[in-house]
Amino acid sequence: MRKTEMAIQRCKTMSTLQKILGGKWKLELLYYIGVEHICRFGALRRKLGEITESSLTKQLRELEADGFLFRHDFQEVPPHVEYELTELGESFLSVLDVMKRWGDENLSGLGIT
């Protein structure tokens, strides 16, 4: 089978999801915003710890562009920006919940942190 034929057989839904949610921090960001209700840029950055400001900005902008997040800029000095899930993002919370439960049940013995 040629490469082009193999590419056609890929699952388009899973491929699209991978493109949208494949960023290193995106699933965690959706979890913290949707489940833990951490909405401010600085609080998200502190929660993630290792992320740079530019990476956080990039990941949030991509999630916003893909329709998962809404960004509310309060137009204040110092800057005050909050994020919330859109209807699409809210609909993804049940998927995150299943992933979290599966991870809690199956990943603890792998020694991955």
Side-chain angles (χ1 to χ4, degrees):
M1 184 178 291
R2 295 183 321 196
K3 269 187 172 179
T4 55
E5 290 173 6
M6 288 174 52
I8 293 171
Q9 292 180 356
R10 292 177 61 192
C11 178
K12 291 183 182 194
T13 301
M14 294 306 289
S15 176
T16 301
L17 280 169
Q18 177 65 27
K19 287 176 187 171
I20 293 170
L21 300 172
K24 182 176 178 179
W25 307 99
K26 288 181 180 178
L27 289 176
E28 277 188 90
L29 286 168
L30 291 171
Y31 177 81
Y32 294 136
I33 293 167
V35 176
E36 294 191 8
H37 307 290
I38 300 171
C39 300
R40 297 198 59 182
F41 184 90
L44 288 165
R45 186 164 183 216
R46 285 188 296 276
K47 186 70 173 182
L48 292 168
E50 301 170 10
I51 194 167
T52 64
E53 189 171 314
S54 61
S55 290
L56 178 56
T57 299
K58 181 180 185 290
Q59 299 286 286
L60 289 167
R61 284 185 181 159
E62 288 175 3
L63 285 168
E64 182 184 9
D66 289 328
F68 280 79
L69 293 181
F70 173 75
R71 180 182 186 268
H72 183 73
D73 187 345
F74 289 87
Q75 300 294 318
E76 296 176 355
V77 177
H80 177 185
V81 176
E82 291 185 0
Y83 296 87
E84 65 180 287
L85 296 180
T86 61
E87 190 174 320
L88 179 65
E90 289 281 343
S91 72
F92 192 70
L93 286 179
S94 60
V95 176
L96 283 176
D97 182 53
V98 170
M99 291 173 71
K100 172 84 166 63
R101 280 188 282 123
W102 182 88
D104 290 344
E105 294 169 6
N106 294 285
L107 298 179
S108 62
L110 296 179
I112 301 171
T113 57

